[in-house]
């Protein structure tokens, strides 16, 4: 066997010689007539290999020492050096083998055959017998492949003329991974070394023994026979060896073709000489050489044809994908290297067929092979028929589910578009260019390169040919034309409107254009009336988005939300280039951006995009005058605009400019404070004139000014701490104003401003709360905000209600967090607990506004715009639910309140299942027992509501869940308890609480023979599968204690829920779990006529096999047959006892049970 690569590199030569030595040891089982000469030859080979090892010892030692010291970045060169040294060692070994072959070819050939068989992982015995005639009829009858089960051996007998070889190996050897498929570095190393050995073997023998009609015939027979074996190891190893052998023969054929061509040229030169200069002997010698080369070439062609027909045609559709991949990879190589023989439609069809293979690696090998063919313009005429036949398949493979196959297909189509203009139609390009918006960055970059080479790079203005233009103007006009082409492509794209993704796709190939900030800004600042290359208003908007996206790309790198496949770690060189680009864009845009803001001040969308650019400026840049000009222009823009996007972009930009790490922080903070002070003063003056008591009386113009000031303060308060201006005291009276014109919009802005004010106050409690008076004042503001927001929950405007709910949830969650991280040694926020009315109002709001059924009919008829509205509405509802669940997790509300939310776990699983499940896990981490009680409480409330609804109306209302849905909800709850040992106490507590819910406060009378909530035991049985065996006995004892006082007759159907629950507790074996078939809503099959003649009584210690009617499972799930009380008794959950304790009842763990 070829040794593992984990051994020392210095002993590589001796390890490579080991298979040959093993072959010599194993040759004792080979029967041939020249044994003595073979042994002598092997001794000579051993001495020669020893000399080879000594001569290469220093080289191997140096390589081993270098491999230990090199870093990961030098692995490529190290592996290349190792490959060269391995090939050198192979040459030495094979030269020794050739000398041995010259002396004793039978013995040496058997050594080579044994080596190949051992490379397949077979550690069996190889024996041989002579075959004097290949046409003997008895020979074919001896070719067998069978198993000997008695001896535990497998036999493979085949013909490798002149030998009939028999390979014997153990049967269980097939279960062991053979070398080619072993994982890790060993498998890759063996694959590479094995392929190199086959190539070097043919290369070293091509001038001598390859044409002796003995070696290659035997070797090809060996590879053909074992590549058809049913043993996977033989089939894979020898198929790989056969295709690599054919690749090596292709190289031999090419060298022979070159020799024939050179000899023919020499012959032609000799013939053109004069009679005096001609040499008849020389001509005959050249002709003889040409004839010999042609004979060898014909012989090599025959060898390749035999291998192709005997191995490739049988194995290219093998069941093993590794074999199919190897065949396709080598076929592409044959077509590229030896196109005169292999590049025709007879061979191309195999690649076309295998492009439909279900394994991605096979399709990938086909794409890589075609890239080499289409990349050579000389070979394109031979690919016309293949292109016309499989072009649609190539285009469709850009949508391949395997990302690498899709990327390589796009690169192939890019090569096709560069080498031939008429192969792809405009419709094909229109489909392919849309991949610039793909979520996979490698695929998008390949499509971006296609876009750049097809449209942008080909765009050339007509004015370039005009005389009198210098080089700079020509370059500028060319880039303007490229920008025009890019804008036209973006406008014609109807599916996507994502400029950021388009810029990221073009960044690698068109970075010079996108990082040309002077050209981009000059295109925006140029006069549209003076230049024919000017841009329209719509194009200006897109061009500004491209400018912002390129600035972001240069500053932050190719990291986009929703796009994967990019580099996660950038190199030092890339980081330096990114820093240089940031400095360049900062220096240029600092001076140009004020002019852009001034020109486009009338367009809110363009201004909002331009205001985002300073967020990516390099903080080390120093240009105070330019920054002052920029800040002044930003202040002018803010005085003119009150659009949400403009205000948010300006607030974030001021946050970036006011950072302490920037050189202009003091200047930016001064400008920001001046703006905020002016807005506060204007708002105070407006409110003094308009706010009278609890009413806001103002005309439309004043109301618009008040709303504008509130929007500006709200946007900046979201990013900046404006506590020093006392906005809470200024705006809190607006929460109690009466309804009026524009009151909803004002109230919405006020609620957001006040919530931001409280959040900033809580986040800075450690610095601002220096006395108890300040802490009390903070709590008073918190209470006032919660009380006023409580009233806003019942407002007529939906936006006001949602904002009031979110504001209360955020403020209470932040307050709870500050209490947890507060340092007791200093002043901090005081404890505030929301009132019970507010808690109930929050819970009611969630249930009323989150869990709302949508109209299915209207949804089926909805248009695309309405579907977007539904998605937006779902997003808002998810935010509301997440805000409420955060209060539960942060202990703002009691955990029992989340039981109302858990009720909708299965009904709204697609919309809110992830949020509810995460809340369930978080509450379980807080308190496992209390979380389990919450689950039981949820099921109890659903069950009671169902019975009350059935009693009052006789049928289930749409808002009430059915018994089957409650049972399914219990099953889903049980599945959340993963490890029974970890949640042992919780599961036991669920059963104890459920038993108490059913049997406590129940006194048996002739009118009420069964508990009113007895059917709840069927729901409780869904948790029995999570009980451990000892806990099942404990719960059963607890059940016995509660049923001991009642007379129970199992012959009556009304006691079937108890029978079901007892069966789930007593089924201790896995195959006897009664819950396993009831949980899946399947009717259990029970034989008829097995009812016990005796009713159950407290003194019985043995349970007889009860009889269950075949249709009872269906009747027990029918809620209509349940006795429903008008007023269910109040239930108390006992929590003081130990969960695993069985109370004062007797220990019934030794009860004999018959099921």
């Amino acid at each position: 066997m070829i040794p593992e690569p984990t051994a020392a590199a210095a002993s590589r030569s001796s390890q490579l010689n080991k298979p040959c030595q093993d072959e010599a040891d194993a040759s004792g089982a080979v029967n041939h007539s020249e044994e003595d000469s073979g042994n002598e030859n092997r001794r000579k080979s051993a001495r020669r290999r020893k000399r080879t090892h000594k001569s290469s010892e220093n080289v191997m030692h140096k390589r081993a020492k270098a491999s230990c010291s090199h870093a990961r970045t030098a692995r490529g060169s190290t592996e290349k050096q190792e490959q060269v040294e391995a090939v050198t060692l192979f040459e030495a070994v094979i030269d020794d083998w050739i000398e041995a072959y010259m002396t004793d070819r039978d013995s040496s050939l058997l050594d080579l055959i044994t080596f190949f068989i051992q490379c397949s992982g077979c550690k069996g015995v190889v024996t041989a017998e002579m075959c004097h005639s290949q046409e003997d009829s008895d020979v074919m009858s001896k070719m067998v492949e069978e198993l000997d089960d008695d001896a535990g051996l497998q036999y493979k007998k085949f013909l490798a003329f002149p030998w009939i070889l028999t390979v014997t190996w153990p049967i269980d050897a097939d279960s062991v991974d053979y070398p080619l498929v072993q994982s890790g570095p060993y498998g890759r190393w063996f694959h590479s070394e094995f392929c190199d050995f086959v190539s070097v073997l043919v290369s070293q023998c091509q001038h001598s023994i390859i044409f002796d009609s003995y070696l290659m015939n035997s070797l090809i027979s060996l590879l053909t026979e074992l590549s058809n074996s049913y043993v996977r190891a033989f089939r894979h190893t020898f198929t790989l060896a056969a295709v690599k052998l054919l690749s090596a023969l292709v190289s031999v054929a090419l060298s022979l073709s070159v020799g024939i061509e050179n000899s023919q040229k020499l012959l032609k030169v000799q013939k053109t000489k004069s009679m005096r200069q001609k040499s008849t002997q020389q001509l005959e010698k050249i002709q003889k050489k040409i004839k010999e080369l042609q004979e060898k070439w014909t012989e090599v062609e025959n060898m390749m044809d035999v291998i192709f027909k005997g191995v490739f045609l049988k194995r290219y559709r093998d069941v093993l994908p590794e074999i199919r991949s190897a065949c396709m990879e080598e076929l592409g190589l044959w077509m590229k290297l030896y196109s005169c023989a292999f590049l025709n439609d007879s061979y191309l069809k195999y690649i076309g067929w295998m492009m439909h293979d279900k394994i991605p690696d096979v399709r990938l090998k086909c794409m890589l092979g075609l890239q080499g063919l289409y990349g050579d313009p000389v070979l394109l005429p031979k690919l016309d028929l293949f292109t016309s036949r499989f072009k649609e398949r190539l285009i469709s493979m850009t949508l391949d589910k395997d990302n690498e196959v899709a990327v390589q297909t796009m690169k192939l189509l890019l090569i096709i578009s560069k080498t031939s203009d008429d192969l792809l139609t405009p419709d094909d390009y229109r489909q392919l260019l849309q991949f610039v918006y793909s979520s996979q960055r490698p695929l998008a970059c390949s499509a971006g390169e296609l876009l750049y080479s097809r449209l942008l790079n080909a765009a050339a203005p007509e004015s370039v040919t005009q005389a009198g233009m210098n080089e700079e103007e020509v370059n500028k006009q060319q880039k303007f034309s490229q920008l025009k082409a890019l804008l036209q492509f973006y406008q014609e794209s109807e599916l996507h409107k994502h400029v950021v993704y388009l810029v990221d796709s073009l960044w690698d190939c068109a970075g010079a254009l996108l990082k040309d900030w002077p050209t981009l800004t000059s295109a925006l600042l140029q006069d549209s009336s003076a230049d024919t290359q000017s841009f329209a208003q719509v194009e200006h908007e897109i061009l500004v988005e491209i400018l912002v996206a390129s600035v972001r790309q240069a500053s932050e790198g190719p990291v986009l939300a929703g796009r994967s496949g990019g580099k996660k770690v950038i190199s030092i060189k890339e980081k330096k280039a990114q820093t240089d680009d940031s400095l360049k864009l900062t220096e240029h845009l600092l001076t140009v951006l004020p002019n852009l803001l001034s020109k486009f001040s009338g367009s809110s969308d363009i201004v909002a995009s331009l205001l985002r650019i300073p967020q990516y400026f390099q903080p080390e840049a120093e240009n105070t005058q330019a920054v002052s000009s920029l800040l002044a222009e930003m202040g002018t823009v803010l005085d003119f605009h009150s659009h949400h996007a403009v205000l948010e972009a300006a607030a974030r930009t001021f946050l970036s400019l006011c950072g302490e790490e920037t050189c202009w922080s003091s200047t930016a903070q001064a400008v920001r404070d001046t703006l905020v002070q002016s807005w506060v003063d204007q708002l105070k003056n407006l409110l003094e004139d308009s706010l009278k008591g609890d009413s806001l009386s103002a005309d439309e113009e004043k109301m618009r000014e008040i709303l504008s000031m509130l929007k500006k303060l709200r946007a900046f308060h979201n990013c900046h701490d404006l506590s020093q201006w006392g906005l809470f005291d200024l705006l809190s009276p607006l929460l109690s104003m009466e309804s009026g014109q524009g009151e909803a919009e004002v109230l919405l802005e006020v609620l957001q401003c006040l919530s931001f004010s409280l959040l900033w106050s809580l986040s800075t409690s450690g610095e601002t709360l220096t006395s108890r008076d300040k802490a009390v004042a903070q709590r008073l503001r918190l209470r006032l905000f919660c009380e006023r927001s409580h009233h806003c929950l019942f407002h007529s405007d939906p936006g006001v209600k949602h904002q009031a709910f979110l504001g209360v949830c955020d403020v209470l969650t932040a307050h709870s967090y500050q209490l947890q991280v507060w340092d007791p040694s200093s002043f901090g926020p005081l404890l505030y607990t929301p009132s019970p009315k507010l808690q109930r109002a929050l819970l009611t709001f969630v249930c009323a506004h989150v869990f709302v059924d949508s109209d299915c009919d209207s949804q089926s008829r909805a248009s695309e715009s309405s579907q977007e509205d539904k998605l937006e509405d779902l997003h808002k509802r998810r935010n509301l639910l997440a805000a409420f669940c955060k209060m539960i997790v942060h202990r703002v509300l009691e955990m029992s309140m989340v039981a109302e939310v858990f009720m909708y776990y299965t009904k709204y699983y697609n919309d809110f299942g992830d949020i509810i499940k995460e809340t369930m896990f978080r509450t379980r981490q807080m308190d496992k027992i209390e979380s389990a009680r919450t689950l039981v409480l949820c099921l109890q409330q659903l069950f009671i509501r169902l019975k009350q609804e059935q009693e009052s109306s006789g049928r289930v209302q749409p808002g009430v869940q059915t018994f089957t849905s409650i049972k399914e909800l219990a099953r889903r709850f049980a599945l959340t308890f993963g490890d029974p040992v970890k949640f042992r106490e919780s599961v036991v507590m669920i059963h104890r609480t459920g038993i108490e819910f059913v049997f406590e406060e129940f006194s048996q009378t002739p009118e009420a023979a069964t508990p009113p909530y007895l059917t709840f035991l069927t729901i409780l049985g869904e948790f029995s599968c999570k009980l451990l065996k000892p806990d099942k006995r404990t719960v059963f004892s607890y059940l016995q204690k509660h049923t001991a006082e009642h007379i129970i007759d199992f012959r009556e159907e009304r006691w079937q829920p108890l029978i079901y629950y007892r069966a789930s507790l007593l089924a201790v074996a896995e195959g006897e779990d009664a819950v396993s078939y009831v949980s899946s809503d399947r009717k259990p099959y029970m034989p008829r006529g097995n009812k016990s003649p005796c009713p159950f009584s407290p003194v019985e210690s043995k349970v007889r096999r009860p009889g269950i009617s075949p249709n009872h499972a269906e009747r027990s799930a029918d809620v209509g047959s349940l006795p429903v009380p008008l007023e269910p008794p109040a239930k108390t959950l006992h929590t003081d006892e130990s969960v695993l304790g069985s109370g004062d009842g007797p220990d019934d763990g030794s009860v004999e049970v018959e099921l």
Side-chain angles (χ1 to χ4, degrees), residues 824-964:
S825 61
S826 62
F827 290 98
L830 298 179
L831 177 64
Y832 170 73
T833 304
S835 63
K837 289 185 178 180
L838 178 59
Q839 296 185 27
R840 288 194 297 270
L842 294 174
L843 179 60
T844 304
F845 184 88
V846 169
C847 296
H849 294 83
V850 174
F851 304 106
V852 181
D853 292 327
S854 59
D855 189 359
C856 298
D857 297 334
S858 62
Q859 184 177 4
S860 61
R861 298 189 300 267
S863 61
E864 184 178 356
S865 60
S866 61
Q867 288 294 337
E868 294 178 357
D869 295 339
K870 289 180 181 297
L871 291 176
E872 183 65 24
D873 179 66
L874 176 61
H875 179 67
K876 293 179 180 179
R877 289 158 58 196
R878 286 175 61 86
N879 285 340
L880 295 176
L881 179 60
F884 181 81
C885 292
K886 282 192 293 185
M887 290 194 296
I888 300 294
V889 173
H890 287 274
R891 306 177 188 272
V892 177
L893 304 178
E894 295 182 1
M895 194 181 296
S896 59
M897 297 189 68
V898 82
E900 290 284 343
V901 176
F902 289 167
M903 294 178 182
Y904 303 98
Y905 179 57
T906 56
K907 188 175 181 180
Y908 294 92
Y909 184 81
N910 292 334
D911 295 337
F912 313 109
D914 55 339
I915 300 177
I916 299 176
K917 191 174 183 180
E918 182 65 22
T919 305
M920 204 178 300
F921 289 156
R922 293 291 185 92
T923 55
R924 197 166 292 166
Q925 292 175 359
M926 296 162 52
D927 190 342
K928 292 188 293 185
I929 303 301
E930 188 64 27
S931 177
R933 283 200 192 95
T934 305
L935 297 182
V936 180
L937 178 62
C938 171
L939 298 174
Q940 292 173 358
Q941 291 177 355
L942 286 173
F943 184 76
I944 293 175
R945 291 178 188 177
L946 176 63
K947 292 182 69 66
Q948 291 176 347
E949 187 68 28
Q950 289 290 334
E951 181 66 21
S952 60
S953 61
R955 62 185 181 87
V956 180
Q957 297 296 329
V960 180
Q961 299 189 30
T962 62
F963 183 83
T964 305

Side-chain angles (χ1 to χ4, degrees), residues 719-734:
C719 302
H720 306 267
D721 185 9
L722 307 182
S723 302
Q724 56 178 327
W725 284 277
L727 292 180
F728 189 91
D729 298 333
L730 176 63
L731 301 178
S732 56
L734 295 175

Side-chain angles (χ1 to χ4, degrees), residues 952-985:
S952 60
S953 61
R955 62 185 181 87
V956 180
Q957 297 296 329
V960 180
Q961 299 189 30
T962 62
F963 183 83
T964 305
S965 62
I966 299 174
K967 190 165 173 288
E968 174 64 18
L969 179 62
R971 186 185 71 86
R972 300 288 289 271
F973 283 166
L975 292 177
T976 60
F977 294 97
D979 187 5
V981 178
K982 182 179 179 181
F983 302 104
R984 179 181 182 183
E985 296 182 356

Side-chain angles (χ1 to χ4, degrees), residues 180 191 194-195 235-245 326:
L180 280 179
H191 185 279
F194 183 70
C195 296
R235 198 169 67 252
H236 186 189
T237 304
F238 285 89
T239 300
L240 178 62
V243 294
K244 287 296 180 181
L245 179 63

